[in-house]
Amino acid sequence: SIGTPIQTPPPENVQPFQKVTVYVNVTDMESGVKNVTLQYKVNEGEWITKPMQRLREPFCPAHSVIRGDNRRL
């Protein structure tokens, strides 16, 4: 299952060029989770795909940091 993503700072508080961290709980009790991928857009730009990192096994969220300079990661 994929939980609701949480971002810090929240969308309404992001300043230009500020980095954003996204967390999400992803679980698969049958076969496990091999990887988690974040897809996001900055404003109306192109979709950007970035692998997320697991914080700890097995039930901690994955996370990814989006740099504030809007370059591809």
Side-chain angles (χ1 to χ4, degrees):
S1 69
I2 301 172
T4 302
I6 298 170
Q7 93 173 41
T8 57
E12 62 275 7
N13 293 339
V14 176
Q15 300 299 312
F17 305 107
Q18 183 176 19
K19 87 176 171 183
V20 173
T21 304
V22 178
Y23 300 90
V24 66
N25 282 312
V26 179
T27 56
D28 183 338
M29 300 307 283
E30 292 180 23
S31 61
V33 176
K34 287 187 177 183
N35 59 56
V36 178
T37 302
L38 172 67
Q39 291 186 313
Y40 68 96
K41 291 188 342 180
V42 177
N43 299 321
E44 296 301 317
E46 296 180 28
W47 283 100
I48 299 169
T49 300
K50 182 173 190 216
M52 297 184 82
Q53 299 174 352
R54 297 290 293 192
L55 294 178
R56 257 188 313 126
E57 292 294 336
F59 298 109
C60 278
H63 81 288
S64 189
V65 175
I66 300 168
R67 294 192 313 219
D69 58 11
N70 296 337
R71 289 183 288 171
R72 289 192 175 268
L73 306 172

